[in-house]
């Protein structure tokens, strides 16, 4: 019979090995049905309706908010994201079967074929008519600025105060931090951001805006 101290040591060793052993990963759900669901979401018109609902709420708010003049020394501003907020890349997304291929994405941006998201364009036009400064803060890089601005103008976004791009070759620790810092700098310049509109949580978190409006985007995630 094993002596007690030895038995305790043996039990401890067995428990340690059990704890250290890798836990078998559960197989995740198959990706194909999820892609089918995404296509159905688009083709049914539900995606477009959801975008329109958010944009309508933003537009109603903006109309009310613009009635109140800013305090002396302050200027009203609205911030828009670009991709899946003011411009739609759905043709490219569907053509790539929801995959992200860097060289294909860069070619798509360079071609400048993204279409305007019309309900959000209505919010943009409300801001312009109300003489509110419009800013775009985008995760597109400075190297893509010429193609991006050509695309924006061709589909009707022809007026803005500034577009803030990711510095080329200097990726941030996170998109959320980059966009937060950009909004903070705008407030330091005297802007009151009355609305911030985007399709990702990273477009909207961490403040520096009176109201945020989250558009649906089940196609990809930017942190």
């Amino acid at each position: 019979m094993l002596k007690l101290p030895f038995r305790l040591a043996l039990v401890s060793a067995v428990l340690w090995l059990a704890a250290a052993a890798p836990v078998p990963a559960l197989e995740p759900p198959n990706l194909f049905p999820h892609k089918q669901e995404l296509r159905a979401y688009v083709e049914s018109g539900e995606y477009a309706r959801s975008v329109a609902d958010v944009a309508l709420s933003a537009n109603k708010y903006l109309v009310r908010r613009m009635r109140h003049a800013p305090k002396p020394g302050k200027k009203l501003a609205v911030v828009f994201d670009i991709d899946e907020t003011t411009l739609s890349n759905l043709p490219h997304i569907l053509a790539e079967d929801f995959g992200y291929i860097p060289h294909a994405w860069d070619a798509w941006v360079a071609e400048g074929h993204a279409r305007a998201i019309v309900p959000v364009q209505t919010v943009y036009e409300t801001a312009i008519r109300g003489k509110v400064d419009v800013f775009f803060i985008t995760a597109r890089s400075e190297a893509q600025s010429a193609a991006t601005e050509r695309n924006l103008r061709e589909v009707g976004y022809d007026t803005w105060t500034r577009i803030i791009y990711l510095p080329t070759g200097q990726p941030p620790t996170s998109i959320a931090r980059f966009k937060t810092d950009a909004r903070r700098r705008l407030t330091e310049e005297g802007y009151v951001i009355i609305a911030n509109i985007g399709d990702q949580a990273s477009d909207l978190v961490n403040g520096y805006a009176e109201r945020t409006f989250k558009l649906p985007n089940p196609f990809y995630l930017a942190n």
Side-chain angles (χ1 to χ4, degrees):
M1 182 176 293
L2 297 175
K3 293 184 178 180
L4 184 58
F6 182 77
R7 289 172 62 190
L8 291 174
L10 182 61
V11 170
S12 296
V14 170
L15 291 174
W16 181 86
L17 288 171
V23 177
L26 296 176
E27 181 181 0
N30 191 277
L31 184 59
F32 181 69
H34 289 287
K35 290 182 179 182
Q36 289 181 308
E37 290 175 6
L38 289 174
R39 288 183 181 275
Y41 178 56
V42 172
E43 292 167 4
S44 68
E46 186 58 35
Y47 170 61
R49 285 191 290 272
S50 298
V51 169
D53 286 345
V54 176
L56 180 60
S57 295
N59 201 54
K60 288 180 176 178
Y61 161 76
L62 195 57
V63 170
R64 293 194 306 271
R65 179 61 180 84
M66 290 190 310
R67 295 171 186 157
H68 304 285
K71 295 178 180 179
K74 298 292 184 180
K75 298 165 284 186
L76 300 184
V78 177
V79 167
F80 294 91
D81 173 51
I82 291 182
D83 295 303
E84 275 51 72
T85 297
T86 47
L87 295 179
S88 172
N89 302 294
L90 262 179
H92 172 76
I93 291 169
L94 295 174
E96 298 299 331
D97 199 26
F98 305 101
Y100 171 65
I101 303 171
H103 74 269
W105 167 251
D106 291 342
W108 166 260
V109 171
E111 290 165 1
H113 290 165
R115 300 171 297 194
I117 296 179
V118 175
V120 177
Q121 195 166 33
T122 299
V123 184
Y124 160 86
E125 290 168 352
T126 295
I128 295 299
R129 287 195 303 271
K131 301 188 184 306
V132 174
D133 285 84
V134 167
F135 293 88
F136 296 99
I137 304 178
T138 176
R140 293 189 180 197
S141 72
E142 290 173 340
Q144 297 170 319
S145 62
T148 298
E149 291 166 29
R150 183 178 67 250
N151 194 165
L152 286 168
R153 290 190 175 98
E154 286 178 352
V155 299
Y157 298 102
D158 51 12
T159 301
W160 57 76
T161 300
R162 193 182 315 156
I163 301 180
I164 302 172
Y165 298 93
L166 272 177
T168 299
Q170 299 178 27
T173 54
S174 76
I175 299 300
R177 175 49 55 192
F178 158 69
K179 294 198 170 191
T180 301
D181 288 345
R183 294 194 305 276
R184 175 183 52 78
R185 289 193 298 271
L186 291 179
T187 63
E188 290 170 352
E189 293 174 23
Y191 289 100
V192 178
I193 300 172
I194 57 176
N196 179 18
I197 304 171
D199 64 287
Q200 302 281 330
S202 56
D203 299 330
L204 309 172
V205 296
N206 301 326
Y208 299 105
E210 289 184 354
R211 287 282 299 273
T212 61
F213 295 89
K214 168 70 169 65
L215 296 162
N217 182 357
F219 313 118
Y220 58 85
L221 186 64
N223 294 318

